[in-house]
Amino acid sequence: MLRFTLLKAYYMVIKTALIVLFSAAILIPSGKIFSQCQSPQKGTQKDLTLFDTKIGHIISEMSLEEKIYMLHGNGLFSSAGIKRLGIPEMKYTDGPFGIREEMEKNSWNSMKLTTDSATFFPTGSALAATWNTDLAYLLGTALGEEARTRGKDILLGPAVNITRIPTGGRTFEYMSEDPLLNARLAVGYIKGVQDRGVAACVKHFALNNQETNRVRVNVIVDERTMREIYLSAFEAAVKEANVFAVMAAYNKIGGSWCSENENLLNQILKKEWGFKGLVVSDWGGTHSSVKSAQGGLDVEMGSSGNAFMGQALLDSVKAGIVAIGVINEKVRRILRVRFSVEPVSESKPAGIVATPEHGEIAYRVASQSIVLLKNTDHLLPVDLNKVRKIAVIGDNAIHKMASGGFGAGVKTRYEITPLEGLKNKIGDRASIKFVQGYKPSFSQNQQLGGRRMLNKQIDSTLLKEAVELARKSDIVFIFAGTNREYETESTDRSDLKLPYGQDELISAVAAVNPRTVVVLVAASPLDLNNALNCSSAMLMSWFNGSEGGNAIADVLLGNVNPSGKLPFTFPASLADSPAFSLGTFPGDNNVEYKEGSLVGYRWFDTKKVKPLFPFGFGISYTEFSYNGLKTDKIKYSSDEIINISMELKNTGKRDGDEVVQLYVHRLNSQVEWPEKELKGFIRVSLKAGESKSVTMTLPISQLRYWDTKIHDWRLEGGAIQIMIGSSSSDIRVVKSIDI
Ligand code: BGC
C-alpha cells in the first residue's frame, strides 16, 4: 500500500513537472508572439491583417475546443481568450453615448460600484444635429479614452441605422434619416475611438429601423434602396474608417436572420467590402449553430447558458457538418482585433474616466447641436438688462437624461440640467423661479395585464401653479419634450404628441404670457403644431449629455449663437411620413419598405408634402446670404471631381456658424430619383459682416446609383443641378452641370 502511495506520489510529481514544462514551452513563445503583435501604429491606418502569419501559427497551436471557446460570450460583456496562450479575453461595453456602468459578469444587475461613472455624451441625434464631422471625431476620442480607462476593448457604437419612422424608440441613439450625414459622422466617430486604441463596433447591421417586433420582423426591401439608403453608413465605416467590429442586427432581411445572413455578412460585408474584423451578434440575437457559423457570424453574444456557437457548434464540427476552416477563419478575425487593441492590464490602476476635457467635448457637441426653430421679433437671446423675472416651467428643466428606459445608459459623473445651467450662467442678474408644470408618469393597467400606460392627463394643480408663475414673469421658458423612459430601446412611440398633457400646459402658459419660449428636450421628431402656434420662440435641444444644461443656457442667453440643423424631418402629421402614409409600419412578421428610397425628406420633397420643419432646418440669431455659386467646369467625366465654390456672408450683427448643405437634383433622368439628395455639407464660422469663399468637392462617383440589373454601381450621364442651401427646403443657389 505504502509502495503504491509512493509510486502514485512519484507519478504525480513527474506529471505536474511535465505539464508545467509543456505549458511553459507553449506559453512563453506564444506570450511573446502576443506581445510582439502589439502594433506601434495607432488607429485608423492600422492594417488588421498585419499579424496574419503569426495568427496562423497561433491557430495551428490551438485545440478545436479552445477555438470554439472563443466564439461566444463567457460573460454578458466579455468573450474568452486563451490563458494557456497568453491571449486575454475581449471586453465589450455599450456605447454609443458613454461607457455603461459595470454589470455582474453573467447578469444585467448593476455591480453597484462607485468607480464606474463616466461622461454622458450627447446621444446620436444630438451629434447628428451638429453636422460637424470634426466633433464626431473628438467625441470618438473621448469615448475611446474612457473605454480604455475602464479596461474595455470594444465599444458598441456608433449606432447608424436610418431614422425610417419618426416614432422609432431608438431615434435618440441613431443619427439621422440621411445616409450621407450618417456615414460622415460615423467615419469621424469610429476614427476617434480607434485612434485611442479601442475597437469601435458599428451597429446594427442592418435594417433595424423599428423596435416593434424587432426580434422577429423580416424586412423586405429592394436591392437599390438597401444599398443606397440603409447600407451606406456601414460601407463607409468599413471602407473609410476601417472599423474593427460590426454588430449583426436582431431582425431578418429577405427571410434570413441578420446574424446568419450569408448575403449580408459573407457576400457584402466580408467579400465585397473587404471587412477583415469580427462580426458579433446583437445580445441574444443568434438563432442557430451551423447557419450562423457558415453565414458569417464570428462571436455570439448575450446568450445565457447554452450558446449556439458553443457545444452544439463543436459537435457540428466533429460531425463534419461545419468545416474547420470556417472556425479557423473566425478565430483569425477575433485575433486580428485582439492584436490591434492593446489589452488593458487587470492590475493597471483605474485612471480618471470623466475628465474636464471630456466635459468640454460634451459641451461643444451640445452647444452646436441646439436648433433654433422659431424666434418671433428676436425674443431670443434674452437681454438680461431688460428681463428681471424668469419663469422656468416643466419637468424637463430638472430631468436627467443619462439613463432611464430600457437599454444602455450611463452612470454619469455629473449632468447639468437646464435649470442648473440657467442658474450657473445667470447668477444673481435675474430672479429664476421654477415650477414643474407637468408630471412624467405612467400607470399600470391591470385589465391589460399590467401594461404601462402613459398618463395623458395634466395635473391641474401643477398647471395652475405654472400659469400663475408665468403671469407675473418677464419671460417664460417651458422645458417640454420627452425623456429616456418615453424614448427607449425595445418600444416605438405610438404617436408624435408631446406626452403627459404638455400641449395643454403650453397653451395655458402662452395664453397669459406671450413671451413664452418652448425648449424641447427630446431626441426625435415631435408634433409641434400647437407649440409652434402658441410660443414666440422655440428651440430643440436633445438628450444632450453631461453639459446639456450649460449649453442650452448659453444659447438662450446669446453666449452661443444656435447653429444646429435638424437631422430629420418633422412631419406636420404622422400620417404624412412615408411608412405611415403607405401603411407599411409596423408590419407583423414582415415589414415591406414600400417607399423604397423615399425616406425622410426624399419623400416629402418628391411627393410635395409640406413638413412642419424640413430636414436640415435651423435658424440663427444672425442671417447668412449665399451668392456666386461656381463649379470648375460645366461637363465632367465619370472619374472626375466637381470643385464647387460660393460666397457665404454673415449679414447680421452677431458672429455665427452656418451649415451649408449641398444637394443634387437630376434633370431629365431615365432612372427614378428622389427630388433631391444630400451630397455634401460644411460648417462655416463667420464673424458678423464677414464673407468667406466656401469650397466643396463632389466626386462624380458619388452620383452613381445601384443598378439592380448588373448588381453594381452605375453612373447615369446627363444634366444635374447642384443646389446649395440652408436646409433641404431652403435652396439659395443653383447651377446645372453635365456628366
Ligand atoms: C442592443 C445593443 C446593445 C446590446 C448590449 C442590445 O439590446 O440592441 O445595441 O449593444 O443590447 O447592451
Side-chain angles (χ1 to χ4, degrees):
M1 185 65 194
L2 178 71
R3 209 166 142 228
F4 177 74
T5 316
L6 277 175
L7 258 178
K8 200 176 164 196
Y10 177 69
Y11 169 75
M12 289 305 288
V13 169
I14 299 277
K15 187 180 167 196
T16 314
L18 278 174
I19 290 175
V20 168
L21 272 175
F22 182 72
S23 327
I26 295 180
L27 186 85
I28 295 163
S30 300
K32 245 195 197 153
I33 287 173
F34 186 78
S35 57
Q36 275 165 9
C37 286
Q38 298 318 310
S39 164
Q41 309 175 43
K42 278 276 168 236
T44 50
Q45 295 314 311
K46 198 178 260 178
D47 174 6
L48 275 172
T49 62
L50 206 60
F51 306 111
D52 271 11
T53 315
K54 282 172 184 169
I55 288 173
H57 292 317
I58 295 176
I59 291 175
S60 68
E61 284 178 19
M62 290 172 73
S63 68
L64 176 60
E65 283 74 8
E66 284 174 332
K67 292 173 187 171
I68 299 285
Y69 187 48
M70 295 183 78
L71 308 188
H72 54 266
N74 74 335
L76 206 53
F77 283 94
S78 57
S79 60
I82 303 292
K83 241 192 180 144
R84 180 178 75 82
L85 299 174
I87 300 167
E89 66 176 0
M90 201 87 88
K91 293 180 181 154
Y92 304 70
T93 179
D94 279 310
F97 50 87
I99 310 306
R100 193 171 184 167
E101 71 179 305
E102 296 297 326
M103 261 100 42
E104 289 171 2
K105 191 166 169 72
N106 289 303
S107 86
W108 294 95
N109 294 337
S110 160
M111 283 180 76
K112 302 206 167 71
L113 303 179
T114 51
T115 49
D116 58 350
S117 57
T119 305
F120 165 34
F121 291 98
T123 69
S125 50
L127 176 63
T130 69
W131 296 58
N132 188 333
T133 53
D134 294 339
L135 269 188
Y137 176 83
L138 269 185
L139 178 70
T141 60
L143 279 164
E145 282 164 16
E146 297 203 5
R148 259 196 87 68
T149 310
R150 288 267 301 279
K152 308 299 179 190
D153 302 302
I154 301 189
L155 178 91
L156 303 171
V160 301
N161 297 82
I162 291 283
T163 308
R164 173 176 180 254
I165 49 163
T167 48
R170 294 186 93 167
T171 305
F172 76 98
E173 274 187 287
Y174 295 151
M175 291 172 176
S176 83
E177 67 187 23
D178 183 81
L180 179 85
L181 183 54
N182 280 15
R184 305 282 30 103
L185 294 168
V187 166
Y189 179 119
I190 293 164
K191 285 185 173 177
V193 171
Q194 297 193 166
D195 274 356
R196 291 300 180 268
V198 171
C201 178
V202 65
K203 65 189 187 184
H204 307 88
F205 192 55
L207 292 128
N208 180 181
N209 309 103
Q210 64 185 59
E211 295 303 286
T212 312
N213 306 335
R214 69 173 175 169
V215 290
R216 70 178 155 94
V217 77
N218 173 40
V219 177
I220 301 168
V221 64
D222 70 83
E223 196 184 317
R224 181 174 171 204
T225 300
M226 174 161 107
R227 294 290 187 147
E228 292 181 16
I229 305 288
Y230 294 99
L231 297 191
S232 211
F234 292 99
E235 185 172 359
V238 172
K239 291 186 175 167
E240 292 179 50
N242 188 24
V243 72
F244 289 176
V246 173
M247 185 189 290
Y250 280 129
N251 49 288
K252 294 179 191 172
I253 303 175
S256 166
W257 296 110
C258 289
S259 55
E260 55 185 54
N261 197 308
E262 164 69 24
N263 183 40
L264 191 68
L265 303 182
N266 282 337
Q267 295 307 319
I268 298 178
L269 176 68
K270 293 183 176 177
K271 212 163 153 200
E272 191 187 312
W273 297 348
F275 175 65
K276 297 287 186 285
L278 66 87
V279 177
V280 61
S281 72
D282 200 342
W283 268 231
T286 309
H287 302 269
S288 61
S289 302
V290 175
K291 269 183 122 182
S292 300
Q294 291 175 338
L297 184 68
D298 299 312
V299 182
E300 169 186 357
M301 288 302 288
S303 322
S304 50
N306 266 347
F308 287 102
M309 302 243 293
Q311 184 64 42
L313 183 57
L314 181 67
D315 294 343
S316 308
V317 181
K318 283 184 175 162
I321 301 167
V322 175
I324 183 69
V326 170
I327 305 298
N328 288 346
E329 175 60 13
K330 297 185 191 311
V331 175
R332 181 172 302 114
R333 286 174 177 276
I334 296 167
L335 290 180
R336 279 181 186 148
V337 175
R338 184 61 285 175
F339 287 159
S340 303
V341 171
E342 198 178 327
V344 180
S345 150
E346 297 277 350
S347 57
K348 182 178 171 282
I352 298 172
V353 177
T355 63
E357 290 75 22
H358 296 171
E360 167 66 21
I361 292 172
Y363 172 81
R364 284 176 65 184
V365 176
S367 58
Q368 292 190 20
S369 75
I370 293 164
V371 182
L372 181 62
L373 296 170
K374 177 181 183 182
N375 195 14
T376 311
D377 299 332
H378 302 285
L379 178 60
L380 293 176
V382 174
D383 183 351
L384 287 180
N385 295 318
K386 295 187 187 138
V387 167
R388 310 306 315 160
K389 288 182 279 177
I390 301 175
V392 175
I393 296 173
D395 183 73
N396 270 355
I398 54 164
H399 203 111
K400 302 207 173 184
M401 302 296 178
S403 59
F406 182 89
V410 180
K411 190 198 275 181
T412 186
R413 196 142 189 241
Y414 71 98
E415 179 179 346
I416 308 287
T417 63
L419 182 61
E420 287 165 346
L422 284 166
K423 286 184 173 166
N424 287 345
K425 305 285 170 176
I426 293 176
D428 56 11
R429 290 185 291 159
S431 97
I432 300 175
K433 290 226 162 68
F434 167 74
V435 293
Q436 196 186 6
Y438 69 93
K439 254 198 199 125
S441 57
F442 292 88
S443 63
Q444 251 20 57
N445 185 321
Q446 296 315 333
Q447 274 149 5
L448 290 173
R451 228 170 76 193
R452 250 161 70 95
M453 304 294 288
L454 176 70
N455 284 342
K456 292 191 175 155
Q457 300 302 323
I458 193 86
D459 181 316
S460 55
T461 316
L462 295 186
L463 178 73
K464 210 166 145 232
E465 209 179 37
V467 170
E468 270 158 28
L469 176 63
R471 205 192 302 273
K472 44 188 200 229
S473 302
D474 299 333
I475 196 164
V476 183
F477 299 145
I478 303 184
F479 285 89
T482 63
N483 54 49
R484 291 286 308 284
E485 286 78 32
Y486 193 69
E487 290 193 49
T488 173
E489 181 182 333
S490 103
T491 322
D492 295 314
R493 289 177 295 151
S494 52
D495 55 42
L496 296 178
K497 296 227 169 336
L498 287 171
Y500 320 122
Q502 293 178 73
D503 271 324
E504 207 181 311
L505 170 73
I506 293 169
S507 306
V509 166
V512 298
N513 192 331
R515 293 167 63 82
T516 291
V517 179
V518 175
V519 181
L520 285 318
V521 180
S524 54
L526 296 163
D527 177 346
L528 298 177
N529 287 293
N530 176 63
L532 184 64
N533 281 340
C534 298
S535 62
S536 292
M538 198 157 76
L539 293 127
M540 181 82 191
S541 189
W542 309 90
F543 295 160
N544 236 338
S546 290
E547 288 285 339
N550 281 334
I552 189 66
D554 274 339
V555 167
L556 290 168
L557 298 172
N559 304 330
V560 167
N561 192 347
S563 59
K565 301 275 186 175
L566 293 179
F568 25 67
T569 309
F570 279 46
S573 140
L574 183 55
D576 290 347
S577 63
F580 289 86
S581 167
L582 298 173
T584 61
F585 171 81
D588 186 19
N589 286 330
N590 293 308
V591 58
E592 194 178 346
Y593 288 16
K594 283 194 187 144
E595 70 282 2
S597 67
L598 299 186
V599 180
Y601 68 94
R602 286 169 165 78
W603 168 271
F604 286 83
D605 280 0
T606 310
K607 302 285 177 189
K608 310 215 176 329
V609 180
K610 200 174 176 314
L612 190 65
F613 294 112
F615 172 77
F617 178 78
I619 53 176
S620 162
Y621 295 151
T622 184
E623 267 111 46
F624 299 94
S625 70
Y626 289 62
N627 285 298
L629 172 57
K630 288 193 195 108
T631 54
D632 54 344
K633 305 204 302 178
I634 48 162
K635 204 167 169 67
Y636 295 84
S637 55
S638 59
D639 53 352
E640 287 186 301
I641 292 176
I642 313 175
N643 289 297
I644 301 161
S645 65
M646 52 141 287
E647 287 298 310
L648 184 72
K649 182 169 186 192
N650 180 345
T651 54
K653 294 196 177 66
R654 281 175 181 270
D655 302 352
D657 281 12
E658 170 73 325
V659 176
V660 175
Q661 300 161 41
L662 159 63
Y663 296 85
V664 298
H665 167 71
R666 328 267 163 166
L667 295 162
N668 312 320
S669 171
Q670 301 307 304
V671 181
E672 256 185 72
W673 289 101
E675 176 69 16
K676 67 171 97 69
E677 290 185 293
L678 184 73
K679 288 291 170 190
F681 57 89
I682 185 168
R683 179 177 265 271
V684 186
S685 300
L686 287 177
K687 300 240 170 288
E690 192 189 3
S691 296
K692 261 187 197 164
S693 167
V694 176
T695 56
M696 287 196 252
T697 53
L698 173 57
I700 295 290
S701 59
Q702 277 183 24
L703 298 173
R704 294 175 306 169
Y705 68 100
W706 184 263
D707 186 340
T708 50
K709 286 196 202 84
I710 57 165
H711 306 291
D712 205 349
W713 297 101
R714 186 184 187 130
L715 185 69
E716 186 194 28
I720 65 164
Q721 275 182 333
I722 305 279
M723 309 171 122
I724 296 193
S726 175
S727 84
S728 60
S729 296
D730 184 9
I731 300 300
R732 306 284 185 87
V733 278
V734 177
K735 183 164 194 282
S736 297
I737 56 137
D738 264 306
I739 302 168

